[in-house]
PDB file of all heavy atoms in Angstrom:
ATOM      1  N   ILE A 313     197.012 -29.205  90.830  1.00  0.00           N
ATOM      2  CA  ILE A 313     195.869 -29.062  91.748  1.00  0.00           C
ATOM      3  C   ILE A 313     194.843 -28.120  91.131  1.00  0.00           C
ATOM      4  O   ILE A 313     193.641 -28.416  91.093  1.00  0.00           O
ATOM      5  CB  ILE A 313     196.342 -28.554  93.137  1.00  0.00           C
ATOM      6  CG1 ILE A 313     197.249 -29.597  93.816  1.00  0.00           C
ATOM      7  CG2 ILE A 313     195.145 -28.225  94.038  1.00  0.00           C
ATOM      8  CD1 ILE A 313     197.916 -29.145  95.107  1.00  0.00           C
ATOM      9  N   HIS A 314     195.319 -27.010  90.588  1.00  0.00           N
ATOM     10  CA  HIS A 314     194.386 -26.046  89.995  1.00  0.00           C
ATOM     11  C   HIS A 314     193.705 -26.607  88.752  1.00  0.00           C
ATOM     12  O   HIS A 314     192.540 -26.308  88.494  1.00  0.00           O
ATOM     13  CB  HIS A 314     195.100 -24.718  89.695  1.00  0.00           C
ATOM     14  CG  HIS A 314     195.160 -23.827  90.909  1.00  0.00           C
ATOM     15  ND1 HIS A 314     194.101 -23.054  91.324  1.00  0.00           N
ATOM     16  CD2 HIS A 314     196.146 -23.634  91.826  1.00  0.00           C
ATOM     17  CE1 HIS A 314     194.431 -22.398  92.432  1.00  0.00           C
ATOM     18  NE2 HIS A 314     195.672 -22.738  92.766  1.00  0.00           N
ATOM     19  N   GLU A 315     194.411 -27.450  87.990  1.00  0.00           N
ATOM     20  CA  GLU A 315     193.776 -28.063  86.813  1.00  0.00           C
ATOM     21  C   GLU A 315     192.692 -29.064  87.228  1.00  0.00           C
ATOM     22  O   GLU A 315     191.705 -29.247  86.540  1.00  0.00           O
ATOM     23  CB  GLU A 315     194.826 -28.846  85.997  1.00  0.00           C
ATOM     24  CG  GLU A 315     195.646 -27.986  85.041  1.00  0.00           C
ATOM     25  CD  GLU A 315     196.907 -28.737  84.579  1.00  0.00           C
ATOM     26  OE1 GLU A 315     196.876 -29.994  84.469  1.00  0.00           O
ATOM     27  OE2 GLU A 315     197.915 -28.061  84.356  1.00  0.00           O
ATOM     28  N   THR A 316     192.910 -29.709  88.389  1.00  0.00           N
ATOM     29  CA  THR A 316     191.988 -30.777  88.801  1.00  0.00           C
ATOM     30  C   THR A 316     190.782 -30.240  89.566  1.00  0.00           C
ATOM     31  O   THR A 316     189.645 -30.657  89.309  1.00  0.00           O
ATOM     32  CB  THR A 316     192.738 -31.804  89.700  1.00  0.00           C
ATOM     33  OG1 THR A 316     193.943 -32.171  89.059  1.00  0.00           O
ATOM     34  CG2 THR A 316     191.898 -33.038  89.974  1.00  0.00           C
ATOM     35  N   VAL A 317     191.044 -29.349  90.514  1.00  0.00           N
ATOM     36  CA  VAL A 317     189.970 -28.898  91.414  1.00  0.00           C
ATOM     37  C   VAL A 317     189.267 -27.698  90.780  1.00  0.00           C
ATOM     38  O   VAL A 317     189.884 -26.659  90.520  1.00  0.00           O
ATOM     39  CB  VAL A 317     190.564 -28.545  92.804  1.00  0.00           C
ATOM     40  CG1 VAL A 317     189.478 -28.057  93.748  1.00  0.00           C
ATOM     41  CG2 VAL A 317     191.292 -29.753  93.382  1.00  0.00           C
ATOM     42  N   LYS A 318     187.968 -27.860  90.564  1.00  0.00           N
ATOM     43  CA  LYS A 318     187.235 -26.830  89.784  1.00  0.00           C
ATOM     44  C   LYS A 318     187.078 -25.517  90.545  1.00  0.00           C
ATOM     45  O   LYS A 318     187.165 -24.451  89.950  1.00  0.00           O
ATOM     46  CB  LYS A 318     185.875 -27.385  89.367  1.00  0.00           C
ATOM     47  CG  LYS A 318     186.026 -28.505  88.361  1.00  0.00           C
ATOM     48  CD  LYS A 318     184.692 -28.952  87.789  1.00  0.00           C
ATOM     49  CE  LYS A 318     184.912 -30.179  86.923  1.00  0.00           C
ATOM     50  NZ  LYS A 318     184.161 -31.355  87.383  1.00  0.00           N
ATOM     51  N   ASP A 319     186.817 -25.593  91.846  1.00  0.00           N
ATOM     52  CA  ASP A 319     186.620 -24.355  92.601  1.00  0.00           C
ATOM     53  C   ASP A 319     187.992 -23.756  92.944  1.00  0.00           C
ATOM     54  O   ASP A 319     188.776 -24.357  93.687  1.00  0.00           O
ATOM     55  CB  ASP A 319     185.834 -24.672  93.886  1.00  0.00           C
ATOM     56  CG  ASP A 319     185.748 -23.446  94.774  1.00  0.00           C
ATOM     57  OD1 ASP A 319     185.520 -22.348  94.239  1.00  0.00           O
ATOM     58  OD2 ASP A 319     185.941 -23.591  95.997  1.00  0.00           O
ATOM     59  N   PRO A 320     188.304 -22.569  92.384  1.00  0.00           N
ATOM     60  CA  PRO A 320     189.654 -22.019  92.568  1.00  0.00           C
ATOM     61  C   PRO A 320     190.021 -21.762  94.025  1.00  0.00           C
ATOM     62  O   PRO A 320     191.176 -21.916  94.411  1.00  0.00           O
ATOM     63  CB  PRO A 320     189.626 -20.697  91.788  1.00  0.00           C
ATOM     64  CG  PRO A 320     188.360 -20.682  91.021  1.00  0.00           C
ATOM     65  CD  PRO A 320     187.436 -21.719  91.571  1.00  0.00           C
ATOM     66  N   GLU A 321     189.028 -21.405  94.851  1.00  0.00           N
ATOM     67  CA  GLU A 321     189.338 -21.150  96.270  1.00  0.00           C
ATOM     68  C   GLU A 321     189.745 -22.441  96.986  1.00  0.00           C
ATOM     69  O   GLU A 321     190.697 -22.471  97.756  1.00  0.00           O
ATOM     70  CB  GLU A 321     188.088 -20.599  96.958  1.00  0.00           C
ATOM     71  CG  GLU A 321     188.201 -19.121  97.267  1.00  0.00           C
ATOM     72  CD  GLU A 321     186.910 -18.621  97.873  1.00  0.00           C
ATOM     73  OE1 GLU A 321     186.546 -19.071  98.970  1.00  0.00           O
ATOM     74  OE2 GLU A 321     186.256 -17.793  97.203  1.00  0.00           O
ATOM     75  N   THR A 322     188.984 -23.499  96.683  1.00  0.00           N
ATOM     76  CA  THR A 322     189.325 -24.802  97.293  1.00  0.00           C
ATOM     77  C   THR A 322     190.703 -25.247  96.794  1.00  0.00           C
ATOM     78  O   THR A 322     191.541 -25.711  97.575  1.00  0.00           O
ATOM     79  CB  THR A 322     188.251 -25.864  96.920  1.00  0.00           C
ATOM     80  OG1 THR A 322     186.981 -25.368  97.324  1.00  0.00           O
ATOM     81  CG2 THR A 322     188.514 -27.185  97.595  1.00  0.00           C
ATOM     82  N   ALA A 323     190.936 -25.074  95.495  1.00  0.00           N
ATOM     83  CA  ALA A 323     192.235 -25.473  94.930  1.00  0.00           C
ATOM     84  C   ALA A 323     193.360 -24.731  95.650  1.00  0.00           C
ATOM     85  O   ALA A 323     194.384 -25.329  96.026  1.00  0.00           O
ATOM     86  CB  ALA A 323     192.265 -25.182  93.436  1.00  0.00           C
ATOM     87  N   GLU A 324     193.166 -23.448  95.866  1.00  0.00           N
ATOM     88  CA  GLU A 324     194.197 -22.645  96.517  1.00  0.00           C
ATOM     89  C   GLU A 324     194.460 -23.154  97.936  1.00  0.00           C
ATOM     90  O   GLU A 324     195.608 -23.265  98.367  1.00  0.00           O
ATOM     91  CB  GLU A 324     193.753 -21.169  96.528  1.00  0.00           C
ATOM     92  CG  GLU A 324     194.852 -20.162  96.760  1.00  0.00           C
ATOM     93  CD  GLU A 324     196.070 -20.341  95.849  1.00  0.00           C
ATOM     94  OE1 GLU A 324     195.917 -20.702  94.667  1.00  0.00           O
ATOM     95  OE2 GLU A 324     197.196 -20.129  96.356  1.00  0.00           O
ATOM     96  N   LEU A 325     193.382 -23.493  98.646  1.00  0.00           N
ATOM     97  CA  LEU A 325     193.549 -24.008 100.018  1.00  0.00           C
ATOM     98  C   LEU A 325     194.301 -25.338 100.040  1.00  0.00           C
ATOM     99  O   LEU A 325     194.980 -25.669 101.017  1.00  0.00           O
ATOM    100  CB  LEU A 325     192.182 -24.227 100.679  1.00  0.00           C
ATOM    101  CG  LEU A 325     191.427 -22.997 101.174  1.00  0.00           C
ATOM    102  CD1 LEU A 325     190.063 -23.411 101.729  1.00  0.00           C
ATOM    103  CD2 LEU A 325     192.240 -22.278 102.263  1.00  0.00           C
ATOM    104  N   LEU A 326     194.167 -26.091  98.948  1.00  0.00           N
ATOM    105  CA  LEU A 326     194.829 -27.413  98.900  1.00  0.00           C
ATOM    106  C   LEU A 326     196.311 -27.310  98.520  1.00  0.00           C
ATOM    107  O   LEU A 326     197.040 -28.303  98.578  1.00  0.00           O
ATOM    108  CB  LEU A 326     194.102 -28.321  97.899  1.00  0.00           C
ATOM    109  CG  LEU A 326     192.721 -28.818  98.358  1.00  0.00           C
ATOM    110  CD1 LEU A 326     191.948 -29.418  97.189  1.00  0.00           C
ATOM    111  CD2 LEU A 326     192.867 -29.857  99.477  1.00  0.00           C
ATOM    112  N   CYS A 327     196.752 -26.124  98.110  1.00  0.00           N
ATOM    113  CA  CYS A 327     198.163 -25.960  97.730  1.00  0.00           C
ATOM    114  C   CYS A 327     199.016 -25.677  98.970  1.00  0.00           C
ATOM    115  O   CYS A 327     198.857 -24.631  99.602  1.00  0.00           O
ATOM    116  CB  CYS A 327     198.311 -24.785  96.746  1.00  0.00           C
ATOM    117  SG  CYS A 327     197.608 -25.128  95.135  1.00  0.00           S
ATOM    118  N   PRO A 328     199.909 -26.593  99.317  1.00  0.00           N
ATOM    119  CA  PRO A 328     200.731 -26.382 100.516  1.00  0.00           C
ATOM    120  C   PRO A 328     201.744 -25.267 100.276  1.00  0.00           C
ATOM    121  O   PRO A 328     202.434 -25.263  99.259  1.00  0.00           O
ATOM    122  CB  PRO A 328     201.456 -27.719 100.690  1.00  0.00           C
ATOM    123  CG  PRO A 328     200.749 -28.682  99.797  1.00  0.00           C
ATOM    124  CD  PRO A 328     200.174 -27.884  98.684  1.00  0.00           C
ATOM    125  N   THR A 329     201.815 -24.341 101.208  1.00  0.00           N
ATOM    126  CA  THR A 329     202.721 -23.207 101.005  1.00  0.00           C
ATOM    127  C   THR A 329     203.747 -23.069 102.121  1.00  0.00           C
ATOM    128  O   THR A 329     204.606 -22.203 102.054  1.00  0.00           O
ATOM    129  CB  THR A 329     201.909 -21.891 100.932  1.00  0.00           C
ATOM    130  OG1 THR A 329     201.037 -21.853 102.064  1.00  0.00           O
ATOM    131  CG2 THR A 329     201.096 -21.798  99.660  1.00  0.00           C
ATOM    132  N   ASN A 330     203.637 -23.922 103.149  1.00  0.00           N
ATOM    133  CA  ASN A 330     204.530 -23.689 104.289  1.00  0.00           C
ATOM    134  C   ASN A 330     205.692 -24.683 104.381  1.00  0.00           C
ATOM    135  O   ASN A 330     206.383 -24.747 105.380  1.00  0.00           O
ATOM    136  CB  ASN A 330     203.743 -23.680 105.608  1.00  0.00           C
ATOM    137  CG  ASN A 330     203.233 -25.069 105.964  1.00  0.00           C
ATOM    138  OD1 ASN A 330     203.284 -25.965 105.121  1.00  0.00           O
ATOM    139  ND2 ASN A 330     202.775 -25.247 107.180  1.00  0.00           N
ATOM    140  N   HIS A 331     205.876 -25.517 103.354  1.00  0.00           N
ATOM    141  CA  HIS A 331     207.027 -26.442 103.407  1.00  0.00           C
ATOM    142  C   HIS A 331     207.427 -26.868 101.997  1.00  0.00           C
ATOM    143  O   HIS A 331     206.575 -26.978 101.108  1.00  0.00           O
ATOM    144  CB  HIS A 331     206.701 -27.671 104.268  1.00  0.00           C
ATOM    145  CG  HIS A 331     205.572 -28.510 103.748  1.00  0.00           C
ATOM    146  ND1 HIS A 331     204.246 -28.229 103.966  1.00  0.00           N
ATOM    147  CD2 HIS A 331     205.583 -29.650 103.005  1.00  0.00           C
ATOM    148  CE1 HIS A 331     203.490 -29.146 103.407  1.00  0.00           C
ATOM    149  NE2 HIS A 331     204.268 -30.021 102.808  1.00  0.00           N
ATOM    150  N   PRO A 332     208.725 -27.111 101.816  1.00  0.00           N
ATOM    151  CA  PRO A 332     209.172 -27.623 100.512  1.00  0.00           C
ATOM    152  C   PRO A 332     208.552 -29.008 100.250  1.00  0.00           C
ATOM    153  O   PRO A 332     208.377 -29.792 101.191  1.00  0.00           O
ATOM    154  CB  PRO A 332     210.693 -27.744 100.685  1.00  0.00           C
ATOM    155  CG  PRO A 332     211.038 -26.870 101.852  1.00  0.00           C
ATOM    156  CD  PRO A 332     209.844 -26.887 102.747  1.00  0.00           C
ATOM    157  N   ILE A 333     208.242 -29.283  99.006  1.00  0.00           N
ATOM    158  CA  ILE A 333     207.623 -30.577  98.685  1.00  0.00           C
ATOM    159  C   ILE A 333     208.566 -31.733  99.069  1.00  0.00           C
ATOM    160  O   ILE A 333     209.771 -31.671  98.814  1.00  0.00           O
ATOM    161  CB  ILE A 333     207.196 -30.658  97.199  1.00  0.00           C
ATOM    162  CG1 ILE A 333     206.444 -31.968  96.932  1.00  0.00           C
ATOM    163  CG2 ILE A 333     208.369 -30.497  96.241  1.00  0.00           C
ATOM    164  CD1 ILE A 333     205.740 -32.020  95.583  1.00  0.00           C
ATOM    165  N   GLY A 334     208.011 -32.726  99.717  1.00  0.00           N
ATOM    166  CA  GLY A 334     208.792 -33.908 100.100  1.00  0.00           C
ATOM    167  C   GLY A 334     209.406 -33.821 101.486  1.00  0.00           C
ATOM    168  O   GLY A 334     209.846 -34.833 102.027  1.00  0.00           O
TER     169      GLY A 334
END
Side-chain angles (χ1 to χ4, degrees):
I313 295 173
H314 276 280
E315 277 164 32
T316 311
V317 179
K318 292 188 187 120
D319 173 42
E321 253 177 64
T322 304
E324 198 51 36
L325 284 177
L326 288 166
C327 290
T329 50
N330 70 348
H331 62 278
I333 185 168

